[in-house]
Amino acid sequence: MGGPGQRSSDGQTAGNRRTGSVGQGQQNSSSASTDGANSFADSKNQGTTGQTTNSTTENPSISGDQGTKAGNDTSATDGNGVARDGQHRGPGRMSGNGAGMGMGGPGGGMGGGRNGNSSSAYATPLAIFAALFFGAFVFITYRFRAQEWKLGERNRGLMLWTVLGAGFFLRMAITPWISGHMDLMLFRNWATTAADSLSGFYTNGSSDYPPFYIYILYVIGKIGTTDAFSPYMSVLLRLPNILADIVTAYMLYRLASKRVGYGVSLGLAIFYVFNPAIFINSAFWGQVDSFFTMLIVGMIVLLVENRIGWSAVLFTIAVLMKPQGIIYGPVLFFELLRQRKIQPWLLSIGGAVVTTILVILPFSWGQKPLWLLDLYKGTVGEYPYASVNAYNFFALIGGNYTQDTTTLFLFSYHTWGMICIVLVTLFTGWMYIRSRKPQFAAAAALVLIAGVFTFASSMHERYLFPAAALAVLAYLYLRDRRFLWLAGGFSLTIFLNTFDIFYSSNAQDHYGIILCVTSLLNVLLFGYLVKVVWDCSRPATAQAALPKATNIAFLSAE
């Protein structure tokens, strides 16, 4: 695999920081073999301090199906001298690749780094496509809001599967040529480790990634060991999230088809499938946010349909996949409070407990009883910064990669972030109870993720990713087309943030125009979201907005 394993030295320092950047258009690097991963785990157990280990793989890495040979991978210890899987791109640690990289890979608390970018060969076409997409979004919103697409009944299935199929094959055509982010190298190493011994994944290695997605990597690792599929490991690693993009678009279409016209439903599917903010994550970067978002969307849909137990199951799986899944916990809690019945509580608690046991049991042999809590504690504490490449309020005021213990007025960044989380949660609960309806769940989830991302500390560039799908869900449930504007707005900021981090080779403390504009837009979008949610939480206003919903921004209802 190529891009994730590339490394270059930019010679930049910030305190004790050493930043190993992935140079644009540089040579591909080889992935670490299973033996390399195991030897790295041994070095971790020895507790070596400040030691850098070189590892060379026996086989050339695969960037798509190019199969290019490259040089050595390097590993680094964290600031405390403990080497771990993952990649830490923050000040004070090296950014590397392979099984022996510094702490902080693509796991739940992980994010991208400015130096984790891939080849820049496709940056310009992607930027042009994004400009055309968002330009078309604005044009259609203003020009065709009151018009109606006449689509024959017999064409419905054909049109839908053409859209979904085109989105799938577009992604599959792109992935062999995009080497991806260095996170793919970590996923490849973890897939190999899991395939070798699923039950020993955590005892034999040092991954800080929660358990659920390890099952997916296990399957990929098993498939990737075969001669027929080993040259396409880079594609296999991205396939689950490419499929998740398509499944999420299909879920949005099915839900829309029950609530709005066919033209609107198809338009929303097109919006999600070809949204550059969506496929840059799965097809270019190679991250797992699409899979995570699919779980969150499913959780909200089941919650609104009063299938509380299954909603709790999906929520639990989301948390067991990424720690930031806990951000959406209050939505389930508010609905349980609204129902004022004991049975939903029992179903939720039972579903969560059973799901947790089933997921973690295979990994628990030989572990301490509270090993999972220790894993989450380590993950949450990995990035003690005001912002970790998240273009939000703290980044706007110059806090990107600033220690979260730094004082901002009366309190530290971390304290301000916790205060904001509490305030956002209280506001969301107030609006939920005020609305008196489960259909408010999607809007509540949108407020939570947008508010926490914009005003909490230690946020990463990709944490806002589910906002695009949640804004569409909120429109479908509350029928206020302002949520479609929010879907377009958040899609724009998600894309700009991801694109800038993925392709930029600047230092983490770089304060550029894209950071400023995107951060300001996120603050403004959250303010606009608060106004929309305030209006929609009043039943009379929500009903009054219903006629306007037919004049939607993409296509008018039939």
Side-chain angles (χ1 to χ4, degrees), residues 311-470:
S311 179
V313 168
L314 286 188
F315 166 70
T316 305
I317 292 175
V319 175
L320 290 172
M321 178 179 173
K322 284 178 172 288
Q324 61 262 34
I326 198 67
I327 294 173
Y328 304 93
V331 181
L332 179 61
F333 177 73
F334 297 148
E335 177 58 21
L336 292 172
L337 288 179
R338 190 196 65 83
Q339 292 200 10
R340 300 180 181 179
K341 299 176 183 178
I342 189 63
Q343 183 180 10
W345 285 92
L346 295 177
L347 288 173
S348 298
I349 295 173
V353 171
V354 171
T355 302
T356 301
I357 292 174
L358 291 177
V359 171
I360 71 172
L361 191 60
F363 301 100
S364 299
W365 304 114
Q367 298 270 37
K368 295 184 294 184
L370 300 180
W371 71 271
L372 186 61
L373 291 178
D374 293 337
L375 180 71
Y376 279 109
K377 287 179 182 178
T379 301
V380 171
E382 281 183 89
Y383 290 93
Y385 305 109
S387 173
V388 188
N389 290 329
Y391 291 174
N392 56 14
F393 177 73
F394 286 156
L396 182 63
I397 62 176
N400 194 33
Y401 274 103
T402 298
Q403 289 285 335
D404 63 2
T405 54
T406 304
T407 300
L408 177 68
F409 299 115
L410 299 176
F411 307 113
S412 66
Y413 281 102
H414 177 75
T415 301
W416 280 118
M418 296 303 297
I419 292 173
C420 289
I421 290 175
V422 172
L423 292 177
V424 168
T425 304
L426 291 176
F427 173 79
T428 305
W430 179 21
M431 295 298 99
Y432 199 101
I433 301 301
R434 187 180 186 221
S435 71
R436 301 177 183 178
K437 54 189 175 185
Q439 288 80 7
F440 200 79
L446 180 60
V447 172
L448 285 169
I449 187 56
V452 171
F453 176 86
T454 305
F455 295 104
S457 62
S458 302
M459 292 292 108
H460 297 261
E461 69 285 332
R462 294 173 292 100
Y463 284 9
L464 189 59
F465 183 87
L470 290 174

